[in-house]
Structures are given as C-alpha cells and as structure tokens.
Amino acid sequence: MAKRNANLAKLPGGYLFPEINRRKKACQDAHPEADIISLGIGNTTEPLTPHITQALAKAAEGMGMSDGYSGYGDEQGFEALRGKIAEKLYNNVVDPEEVLVSDGAKCDIGRLQLLFGADASVAVQDPSYPVYVDGSVIVGATGDFDESKQQYGGVHYMACTPENNFFPDPADLPPTDLIYFCSPNNPTGAVATKDQLKALVDVARKNRSIIIFDSAYSPYICDPELPRSIFEIDGARECAIEVSSFSKPVGFTGVRLGWTVCPKELVFEDGTPVLQDWNRIMTTVFNGASNIIQHGGLAALDEQGLAEMRETVGFYMENAALIKACLDDMGVQNYGGENAPYIWAHFPGCDSWDVFAKILNEVFVVTTPGAGFGPAGQGFVRFSAFGHRKSILEATQRLKRLSL
Ligand code: MLT
C-alpha cells in the first residue's frame, strides 16, 4: 500500500485560506440572515473590462474555426506575450527569452520548489505568503514543525515588524540557498526601497543565495521612487528570479495567467544555467498557459489595457484608503495600504485568531489572522482592499461598531 508522503504529515493544519472559508461558512450557518463581507483572501471583485473580454471572446471564437484553432503551443508562452511583458513591464531590462509565461505566480512558486528540491535551505520573511513555507515543507526542504515556536526546523525566519519597518537587516541573514522576498509585501503591505533591495541583493551575492522575488502586487506601487522589480537593482541578474502575475492588477484571479523571469546569468554551483533547468521543469510538468487566456494578457498590455489596469488598481487603492481611514478613526494602528492592497492592523497583546473571530462573529466581516502568515504575524490581522465599493463602505461602518 502507498505510504503517505511524510512531508505532508509535517503540516499541522490545512492551507490558510480554505481554513478561513471553513470558519466563514460556520458563521454563516450559525447566522443564516447575516450578509458576511469578505476582506479576507485577496480575491479581485471588479469585472474584466470589455477590452479584455472582447480579446478573450475573439480568441475563443477563433478556436471554433479551422484557421483559428490551435492545440499545444510553446510551453514558455506566446512569443508576442513574452516580448510584451519584457517591454511594457520591465522596460526591456529583461530578455523575452527569460520570461516564461504560466498559469500564475503561486503555481510557479510550487514548480520552483520542485526545481530546487529538498536540499535547498530557505529563508523567508516572517510573516509571509504561506506558499513559500508550506511548499518548502511539501518538497522536504524543511524540518519538523516546532509547536512552541510556530516555526519549521531548518527555515530561517526574518521577522518583519513595525520596529524594523518591516524590513529585516539582510546582514543578519545566514547563507541559505533560497531567500523568498515579496514586495509589495503580502501580508504587511510594506514596500522595500531601492537601497533596501540593493542591500538584499549584495548579501545574496556574497552568500551565493538565490532570491525568489514575488512582485505580484507591483502595479499597486503608487510612489514612483519605489522599485517595481528586483531587476531594477544592479547585480540582481546574478542572484534573483522574479515571479509575477496578471491576477491582482487585471482581475485574472480566476482566469489564471502569470510569469517568471529567470535571467540567463543565474547559475547553479556547478555552472548550469538555472534557466536551462527551469525550462526543463516547465516543459515536463506544465503544458503552457491557455492559448485563449494569453490573448487576454496581450490585450492587458496594450495601451488601452495598461490604462485600464491603472484604473483598476486606483479603484482598489481607494478601497484601501477607506479601510485605513476607518482603522485610524477606531484608533487601530495600521500599516501598508499605500502602495499595496493590504492593510496590516495591529492589536497588541491579542491573539490574531481571536481578533479574526471577534470581527467575524460581531460584525460579519472576514479578515485574515496574521498568525496564519507566520509567528511574527501574531497580534495582527490583514484587511484586503479587494471588494465592491458598497461592501467596503458597509464593512467600515460595521467595524466602527466593534467592541474593542
Ligand atoms: C492572499 O490573499 O494572500 C492571496 O490573494 C492568495 C493568493 O494569491 O493565492
């Protein structure tokens, strides 16, 4: 009989967001009349623009005609889309051949974990997007879960707290093979400056670490001085891979389209280009992003698409400002929400799951407990700015009624 993967047995619970959904459903069952508002998972709510849906519809119709039909394409994605990503989103500082299109950043992170395997030691920001750690556990790159520390053995946790402005000193980093780094950060909403990323890149090069840089929220950066890509930093091409996505700026959370940039200069210890092995992984366990959806990606990156993307981002950032203003009025210290669609609210001395439960059960608003992102998230809850305006306004009214 098949033995259970022992690495899966190391995970103490289910994945964070299904667990939150389970608790939301339990609340709904207990209060069938309640209109629960979700500011939990960062799930986009606004419809795709007609410009995008027309591109998708045209591509879908083409599939029904003999001269428009296409089957398998290049696993790396349409050449035109790889070129557009390099030009429009990276100002041509990356080569289209280094851009591999995919079905999303989360899936690419999982495949990168397969690429680096069980022997790669890892460092993560704490708190961090749960896939970095959970995926590392599944491939066997960590030790067991230590209940008392709420940490896995063998993982270096870089605490990101208000005291260090959510940017840990890279000089404290031990030489790990991989460093997961997300900016704009999920969940704290903090964005690293150019100097901070330069310090991280310098340490990674010194330690011969590879940074897996998650820029899924980079279109949410409003401050022009802040870097949107690790490849704006000198030296990053020798030490970084960047994963990113159409999900949050274009509303493709359910449509699915993302990409990873792997520079040609990046090599393993034995000199093998990482891109060569990344291509091997992608051609082996992935068959390319949907040809229909890639046409949507192309539309998102033309002039009209980019202008609409800015509008969509602007809309969600107005939501973020409303949530922040509400928390300020309530006297709740909060961070982020200025260059990122997440607001990180501090409830010192409280257990974040208790705060989550109180907000859910008292005013029927779903948040995400900070402890779900790592031990340094304890005492925080995350508010997502993704929602219809009406729901955000209603949520802010309700939050003010909370008995804190
Ligand atoms: C989040 O809420 O942290 C993210 O939206 C989840 C995801 O992108 O997978």
Side-chain angles (χ1 to χ4, degrees):
M1 196 171 174
K3 283 209 183 79
R4 185 177 184 207
N5 178 341
N7 296 320
L8 276 157
K10 291 180 190 164
L11 294 163
Y15 188 63
L16 177 62
F17 293 106
E19 175 58 26
I20 287 169
N21 230 0
R22 196 185 62 72
R23 294 184 192 214
K24 177 185 169 195
K25 282 202 181 97
C27 175
Q28 190 76 76
D29 289 345
H31 305 275
E33 74 299 340
D35 170 22
I36 299 180
I37 298 174
S38 179
L39 304 182
I41 188 165
N43 199 3
T44 48
T45 54
E46 300 312 293
L48 301 179
T49 65
H51 177 61
I52 304 271
T53 55
Q54 278 157 18
L56 294 172
K58 191 165 161 230
E61 274 163 21
M63 290 293 283
M65 296 177 217
S66 52
D67 58 350
Y69 176 78
S70 60
Y72 293 128
D74 293 338
E75 289 90 345
Q76 300 80 1
F78 290 174
E79 228 177 273
L81 183 56
R82 300 168 77 191
K84 267 257 155 71
I85 291 171
E87 179 198 339
K88 300 289 177 190
L89 303 177
Y90 292 91
N91 248 330
N92 288 324
V93 301
V94 306
D95 188 299
E97 286 180 9
E98 298 169 332
V99 179
L100 270 62
V101 174
S102 73
D103 52 351
K106 182 182 187 183
C107 320
D108 274 353
I109 291 162
R111 288 183 287 254
L112 285 169
Q113 287 161 339
L114 181 64
L115 167 72
F116 290 105
D119 292 334
S121 53
V122 304
V124 292
Q125 287 161 293
D126 175 20
S128 71
Y129 182 40
V131 186
Y132 310 150
V133 173
D134 287 11
S136 302
V137 174
I138 290 168
V139 297
T142 74
D144 289 335
F145 187 66
D146 180 335
E147 193 71 43
S148 65
K149 293 187 182 152
Q150 293 289 299
Q151 294 185 346
Y152 288 92
V155 176
H156 180 77
Y157 291 77
M158 305 179 270
C160 300
T161 61
E163 289 70 39
N164 62 14
N165 279 323
F166 301 101
F167 187 80
D169 187 349
D172 297 338
L173 266 171
T176 55
D177 297 317
L178 302 176
I179 304 168
Y180 288 92
F181 200 92
C182 178
S183 179
N185 189 263
N186 177 12
T188 66
V191 185
T193 63
K194 279 195 178 137
D195 286 348
Q196 287 173 329
L197 283 191
K198 177 71 180 127
L200 181 70
V201 162
D202 288 347
V203 166
R205 291 180 71 191
K206 179 170 99 9
N207 290 348
R208 306 192 69 190
S209 305
I210 293 178
I211 302 167
I212 298 182
F213 189 78
D214 184 344
S215 68
Y217 299 93
S218 67
Y220 284 84
I221 295 178
C222 309
D223 180 344
E225 295 301 314
L226 293 170
R228 290 178 169 225
S229 163
I230 189 87
F231 298 117
E232 290 179 37
I233 310 301
D234 277 350
R237 291 184 59 84
E238 288 91 55
C239 68
I241 292 175
E242 182 163 314
V243 292
S244 206
S245 169
F246 285 89
S247 287
K248 310 298 161 106
V250 186
F252 274 19
T253 39
V255 175
R256 310 304 308 152
L257 194 64
W259 68 91
T260 286
V261 179
C262 184
K264 291 174 185 166
E265 290 91 327
L266 190 68
V267 289
F268 288 108
E269 197 184 45
D270 68 356
T272 307
V274 176
L275 180 56
Q276 178 186 313
D277 282 4
W278 178 229
N279 193 51
R280 183 69 166 85
I281 294 279
M282 291 299 271
T283 50
T284 305
V285 301
F286 183 63
N287 254 343
S290 152
N291 41 17
I292 296 172
I293 305 309
Q294 290 190 69
H295 283 286
L298 278 169
L301 295 181
D302 68 18
E303 212 176 306
Q304 183 174 342
L306 287 165
E308 290 174 349
M309 190 190 294
R310 285 190 287 275
E311 262 178 54
T312 305
V313 164
F315 173 83
Y316 289 127
M317 289 311 291
E318 282 169 19
N319 284 351
L322 289 167
I323 297 168
K324 275 184 84 64
C326 165
L327 292 169
D328 289 345
D329 284 353
M330 292 164 64
V332 174
Q333 180 74 52
N334 63 89
Y335 305 89
E338 280 164 358
N339 291 286
Y342 295 124
I343 298 103
W344 191 234
H346 200 185
F347 296 87
C350 300
D351 178 273
S352 25
W353 281 100
D354 290 348
V355 180
F356 162 85
K358 187 178 178 67
I359 300 175
L360 176 59
N361 296 315
E362 267 188 29
V363 295
F364 303 123
V365 173
V366 181
T367 59
T368 307
F373 297 101
Q378 189 53 275
F380 290 84
V381 297
R382 189 193 74 175
F383 288 85
S384 152
F386 295 105
H388 298 309
R389 183 59 47 81
K390 198 166 153 263
S391 314
I392 300 288
L393 290 170
E394 169 67 19
T396 55
Q397 289 311 311
R398 290 190 201 169
L399 286 168
K400 287 182 186 158
R401 295 202 295 267
L402 260 183
S403 59
L404 284 175

